[in-house]
Amino acid sequence: MSMMLPLFPLRVVLFPGRPLPLHIFEPRYQRMLTDCLESDRRFGVVAIRSGHEVGECPEFFSVGTVAEIEDVRRFDDGRADITTRGVRRFRILETVGGGAYLRARVETLAEEPVNGAVRQPASLLRELLNPYLIDLGAPEELLTRLPEHAEELAWLAASAVQVDLPEQQRLLELDSVDDRIAATVRILRRETGIMRHLGTVGSLNPAGPGGAELN
């Protein structure tokens, strides 16, 4: 199914189910926010491949995530703080210019059905993720409510691993939960080994406008 979607290029990969707080200050995105609130409260987040968030339109990846606006705090000068959450992935079919902000015709991407044999890999992912989050200083309340569902656990783990943006983007683009779990397990094993030798080098707030939280 294809649809038109406002686009917000950012230096962050948004995963389905994960929160993303944003500070809206550019006039074009203030306009986008107003339009979204008058429509379905949704826009597309795409990770920047090269270029900058502010100013001229950067080059971005073709696969992103629909973000749904959950909360808005507006200021008198037009700026706003918003809380969004990833809903589902999409692929850009074509971009549409000529307006105050960039839009695109996109197709939503379905997840491949979870393989019945995914339970054991998901259990391994949980075993690796728990101490990894502890080393990153995750609060106890997060550790006690890790998702039971394999797909939700895979998305949380993908957002938690402290790797560069292109590697996070590769995790986002995987269509299979099984493949995403396997790839994240490999990353966790690698990063855990690095942390043992060099110490903790990340945090739970990846770089981005306002930061992204694991909640």
Side-chain angles (χ1 to χ4, degrees), residues 2-215:
S2 66
M3 61 181 179
M4 293 299 297
L5 196 65
L7 288 186
F8 200 156
L10 295 168
R11 286 199 172 279
V12 65
V13 176
L14 174 61
F15 293 97
R18 309 314 310 153
L20 180 66
L22 295 169
H23 179 64
I24 307 298
F25 61 92
E26 282 195 84
R28 55 178 167 173
Y29 294 124
Q30 292 177 19
R31 178 70 236 180
M32 186 190 78
L33 174 60
T34 297
D35 291 346
C36 287
L37 292 176
E38 293 176 352
S39 180
D40 61 1
R41 301 177 71 91
R42 294 184 174 187
F43 58 90
V45 172
V46 285
I48 293 174
R49 188 193 299 268
S50 64
H52 304 283
E53 292 175 346
V54 179
E56 293 298 320
C57 185
E59 180 185 353
F60 44 79
F61 292 94
S62 62
V63 173
T65 301
V66 176
E68 182 168 21
I69 300 168
E70 296 185 330
D71 186 62
V72 179
R73 180 189 177 196
R74 288 185 179 272
F75 301 98
D76 293 340
D77 60 3
R79 294 177 301 117
D81 286 335
I82 68 175
T83 302
T84 74
R85 188 170 297 271
V87 179
R88 63 174 62 88
R89 300 178 307 139
F90 65 83
R91 185 185 309 278
I92 295 173
L93 300 176
E94 63 175 342
T95 56
V96 179
Y101 50 84
L102 189 65
R103 297 184 300 152
R105 188 168 66 87
V106 308
E107 61 176 354
T108 56
L109 299 176
E111 297 292 304
E112 292 183 6
V114 177
N115 189 316
V118 77
R119 180 174 298 178
Q120 186 172 352
S123 177
L124 175 59
L125 176 60
R126 181 184 296 273
E127 290 176 9
L128 292 170
L129 181 61
N130 196 281
Y132 182 81
L133 291 175
I134 290 174
D135 286 343
L136 290 179
E140 182 66 25
E141 61 193 47
L142 172 62
L143 301 174
T144 58
R145 57 184 177 91
L146 293 180
E148 293 293 334
H149 191 277
E151 183 177 340
E152 294 177 11
L153 180 65
W155 284 132
L156 186 147
S159 67
V161 290
Q162 302 298 293
V163 295
D164 60 17
L165 188 148
E167 191 162 14
Q168 283 196 323
Q169 180 69 25
R170 286 192 288 272
L171 290 175
L172 178 70
E173 294 184 6
L174 291 172
D175 291 324
S176 163
V177 177
D178 305 63
D179 291 344
R180 190 173 300 112
I181 288 177
T184 309
V185 163
R186 289 194 295 271
I187 292 172
L188 282 170
R189 283 174 166 162
R190 183 192 72 204
E191 295 302 304
T192 298
I194 293 173
M195 288 165 65
R196 285 173 182 166
H197 286 89
L198 301 179
T200 302
V201 293
S203 70
L204 283 177
N205 295 301
E213 301 173 355
L214 291 178
N215 60 19

